[in-house]
Each structure stands twice: as C-alpha cells, then as structure tokens.
Amino acid sequence: MEYDNIECVSSIDGLNEDEIHHHNLHHPSPHHGHHPFSSSKPHNATNNANNSNMVNNIVGATGITPATSVHELLECPVCTNSMYPPIHQCQNGHTLCSTCKARVHNQCPTCRSELGDIRCLALEKVAESLELPCKYYNLGCPEIFPYYSKLKHEAACNFRPYNCPYAGSECSVVGDIPFLVAHLRDDHKVDMHTGCTFNHRYVKSNPREVENATWMLTVFHSFGQYFCLHFEAFQLGMAPVYMAFLRFMGDEAEARNYSYSLEVGANGRKLTWEGTPRSIRDSHRKVRDSHDGLIIQRNMALFFSGGDRKELKLRVTGRVWKEQQNPDAGPCIQNLCS
C-alpha cells in the first residue's frame, strides 16, 4: 500500500496510565457531592428481625456504608462482577452469582460445601436500598444510580472504554481515545496524519485473486479529533467490491458534528460519496456490512487504475469538515482543521 501527499504526524502527546485504566467501584474523588455508597432508603431495624444483624452490619445507623464492605459483599468471589438477583449462598453463608453457580457444579467455591438452592434474600434487599456510582467513575462519569439500575446505564455509558478500532485483526485492547491513539501508533504502527484533506493510493497486485482484504488503517487528526480511514475488499452478493469509509474516534453524538467526502476517478469519470463518519462504537465490520461508505465495483476500480487492468492502483481523495462549514467554500485552512 502506498500513500501520497500526506504530511505525517511526528509525535502524539504522552499519556498517564492512571488516567486510562478504570476499576470497578473505587472510592470517588472527595470533591464529589454525594457519597457513592449511601442508602436511598433509611434503615429500619424493625423490617425483618431475622435479617437485622446482617443489615446493621452493612448499612449502619447513618445509612452510610464503607466502600470495602459493599464491594466485598456484592462482588462474586468467582467472576468478581457485581451480583444481581438471584444471589445464591451455601449453608455457611458464602455467596456467589447465579451465572457462576452453574459453573461450579453446585459446590461452594469458598468452603466446598453443597450449594443447594438457598437465596441470600437479605443481601438482595440491601442491594436494593443502595445507590452506587457508575463503574466508569474514574473515567469521568459523575452519575449515581440505584444498584439495580446501574447495570443498564453502564452498558451505554458515554464514559465506557472504546474498543480498539484496528481492522486488520481482532484486537481486544480497550481504553479512552488518547490511550487508543497511542496504542494504534505504537503497537499497530498505523500511519498517523494531520489535516482535514487526504489523498491515498491503494495498490494491490493480482486483485482478481483476492476476494477479501483489509488495507492498513490510517488515522487523521483534524479539528482536535481523530478519524479512522478504512479501505477493504469483500464480496457484495456475488460481486467483488472495494469500500472506503471513515469512522470517528468518539461517540455517535459527537460524530454527527462532522461530515466527510470521498472521491475516486480517472479517464474523465469519477465516483463520489458524502456522509457522516460512524462512531468507533460501531465495529468496522458493522459499518462495512451496512454499506455506509464509498463502494466501487472491482471492474470499475481496475478501470480507474488504468494500464492493463491487472493491478489495482486506486487513488482515493477526500476531506473532513465540521457540519456548520460549507464543503464547497474552498480549500481547507490548516489552522481551522488541525
């Protein structure tokens, strides 16, 4: 693969690992206005005489729970995830989640006694009374939720880590955007460029022998944001095609603030595409399979390549602009888009 007329970024600001990694249910900053483990309901010692000792140990007279106690009580000892009903316990009082109960063959992982079908109703009731911070609190989420609502929020939290957008392999790395930018640069060795215009030439010998291929990802820094340019070959029905598309390194709501155009052509003909970049919350495969990008049939791509049409030499040009800007207003001004 070859690249033309693109100025490479020489360096990217370093990162502090403490700002990247997240942990479940850590103490929040002392500047936060709410205690993360406060009870949403006042403790009533008369509610359940059988459970009062356990509830008193957990909630206490003030309704404020030590973080370590809540974390230990509501964390499954097998998978270390937070437990949700049904919470199971053995005859000695050791608890675990319903998912792990099936995995341990009905044997308590702590004392090896038989689990049976005992529910820890007291712990389930205590969990119902708690309000906890989002587990992505250390990544910036300020929200606090009732225990049983927290899981739904976390599945769509805007502060949850992003998956690595690299398309050449199934990379399992997750992190925030600065971390992933450094990861793409240092670990995947992707090309890093700056500016809001691009001019790429994709080359492939014997293109008729390759039905599926992924070219090296390219990352652009523009408008203070990062964009991923993808180029792939695949089968669309029975027709071999090439597809170019852009993904935004951020959430979907932010991605809608930008637009982009792509163009290929030669010999007095051209194909153009204009659209909104997709968030990297959507995998590159999902974007590709939705056909949300510039699609070129292989015969047309080889026609644009010129020569004897036995080698792919396809030039893709394009630009990114903020939605309030006019894409026909002239060339991009560097200090407005870098």
Side-chain angles (χ1 to χ4, degrees):
M1 179 172 61
E2 300 176 12
Y3 297 105
D4 294 331
N5 304 332
I6 301 177
E7 182 181 359
C8 294
V9 177
S10 59
S11 65
I12 294 179
D13 291 339
L15 300 173
N16 185 336
E17 287 190 358
D18 292 336
E19 298 173 358
I20 295 168
H21 300 292
H22 65 280
H23 305 279
N24 290 341
L25 303 180
H26 274 248
H27 280 295
S29 166
H31 301 296
H32 199 281
H34 299 279
H35 193 287
F37 302 112
S38 62
S39 172
S40 63
K41 301 179 182 178
H43 176 60
N44 184 347
T46 64
N47 279 347
N48 189 328
N50 293 330
N51 297 333
S52 61
N53 289 336
M54 181 176 190
V55 173
N56 279 325
N57 288 336
I58 298 171
V59 179
T62 64
I64 302 298
T65 308
T68 53
S69 298
V70 174
H71 189 276
E72 291 171 1
L73 286 169
L74 295 177
E75 183 182 89
C76 174
V78 178
C79 65
T80 71
N81 292 326
S82 297
M83 295 187 290
Y84 293 86
I87 299 175
H88 297 276
Q89 69 174 32
C90 73
Q91 60 186 1
N92 294 319
H94 303 126
T95 57
L96 78 165
C97 70
S98 57
T99 300
C100 290
K101 181 177 183 289
R103 295 167 53 190
V104 298
H105 306 293
N106 206 39
Q107 185 180 64
C108 175
T110 303
C111 66
R112 305 302 177 187
S113 65
E114 185 177 348
L115 283 171
D117 293 310
I118 306 173
R119 288 271 295 275
C120 188
L121 299 178
L123 189 55
E124 292 179 8
K125 192 68 175 177
V126 169
E128 184 180 342
S129 72
L130 296 176
E131 290 186 341
L132 303 177
C134 171
K135 74 176 181 179
Y136 303 122
Y137 179 86
N138 286 353
L139 293 178
C141 182
E143 303 294 339
I144 294 177
F145 295 91
Y147 187 79
Y148 293 134
S149 302
K150 190 170 77 83
L151 203 62
K152 181 178 180 180
H153 160 80
E154 289 170 352
C157 178
N158 288 337
F159 292 90
R160 71 192 190 277
Y162 295 88
N163 294 320
C164 173
Y166 190 73
S169 62
E170 296 301 326
C171 180
S172 60
V173 170
V174 299
D176 61 11
I177 298 303
F179 173 77
L180 289 180
V181 169
H183 165 67
L184 290 168
R185 179 197 64 201
D186 299 336
D187 299 329
H188 292 297
K189 310 299 182 185
V190 304
D191 289 314
M192 311 290 294
H193 301 289
T194 190
C196 56
T197 61
F198 46 90
N199 184 347
H200 268 32
R201 188 165 63 132
Y202 295 98
V203 177
K204 185 71 175 178
S205 58
N206 301 319
R208 297 184 184 277
E209 298 177 5
V210 178
E211 302 296 344
N212 294 279
T214 299
W215 276 256
M216 175 64 78
L217 178 70
T218 304
V219 176
F220 291 90
H221 183 241
S222 183
F223 300 103
Q225 307 289 345
Y226 290 92
F227 300 84
C228 300
L229 178 62
H230 296 262
F231 189 75
E232 299 195 14
F234 62 100
Q235 288 284 125
L236 183 56
M238 298 298 292
V241 298
Y242 299 97
M243 180 175 174
F245 57 92
L246 208 65
R247 285 199 294 164
F248 174 76
M249 295 188 70
D251 281 315
E252 181 181 355
E254 297 178 89
R256 287 195 291 266
N257 294 325
Y258 301 91
S259 296
Y260 75 102
S261 63
L262 297 172
E263 180 178 307
V264 294
N267 303 319
R269 283 117 174 135
K270 67 179 180 180
L271 294 174
T272 60
W273 164 267
E274 184 176 308
T276 301
R278 295 279 287 271
S279 166
I280 61 170
R281 295 287 189 202
D282 292 334
S283 69
H284 83 282
R285 172 97 29 155
K286 180 178 180 180
V287 178
R288 190 198 75 177
D289 291 348
S290 68
H291 310 149
D292 192 1
L294 176 63
I295 296 178
I296 313 116
Q297 292 188 355
R298 186 168 64 189
N299 287 340
M300 180 65 73
L302 294 177
F303 172 75
F304 288 151
S305 298
D308 57 7
R309 304 189 185 184
K310 292 182 179 180
E311 184 178 24
L312 179 71
K313 293 181 179 179
L314 191 64
R315 187 175 298 279
V316 178
T317 61
R319 62 173 297 179
V320 181
W321 66 91
K322 296 195 77 168
E323 190 56 38
Q324 64 267 28
Q325 292 183 327
N326 183 356
D328 299 321
C332 176
I333 301 175
Q334 183 71 21
N335 63 5
L336 293 179
C337 64
S338 61

